[in-house]
Amino acid sequence: MAMVSAAVRQLASADFSALAQRFTEAGFSVALPAPGIVTIKAPAGSGRASVVVSVGGHGDETGPIEVLALVLDRLQPSALAVDLMVCVGNIEAIAQGKRFIDAD
């Protein structure tokens, strides 16, 4: 991943720090419940829909990771109309450029 943006490298390594900071500063509730998972929720009582986005099911298929990284990098808090959970799977496989580590 030497020729990809910092945003893509961060998402591929499940580094949600910039995203978390941007949304926390805007008043959202941001949590990192497990490695590779971030949740972003509007202030309580908003009654918003929830969306889950998952990438990295196969560590060597980086296209979806790159697209999601670019979207998240450009996403402004004022534009987020849903509560969001992002899951990055197979973090080790992504780092090694392999389809999977233990099982496919």
Side-chain angles (χ1 to χ4, degrees):
M1 288 196 188
M3 299 177 73
V4 297
S5 72
V8 171
R9 285 192 304 276
Q10 286 177 330
L11 184 60
S13 65
D15 176 2
F16 297 111
S17 57
L19 180 71
Q21 180 178 353
R22 187 167 68 247
F23 279 85
T24 298
E25 289 174 357
F28 286 76
S29 173
V30 179
L32 303 165
I37 299 174
V38 64
T39 61
I40 303 171
K41 296 182 179 183
S46 66
R48 293 159 43 118
S50 297
V51 172
V52 176
V53 179
S54 176
V55 295
H58 294 130
D60 62 349
E61 296 173 359
T62 61
I65 297 166
E66 295 173 38
V67 170
L68 182 59
L70 295 173
V71 168
L72 293 176
D73 187 49
R74 291 181 173 99
L75 180 63
Q76 295 302 311
S78 62
L80 185 62
V82 297
D83 288 337
L84 180 64
M85 175 184 276
V86 174
C87 304
V88 179
N90 278 321
I91 299 165
E92 291 178 43
I94 294 166
Q96 295 179 30
K98 295 182 177 180
R99 183 174 177 87
F100 61 91
I101 298 298
D102 296 320
D104 190 4

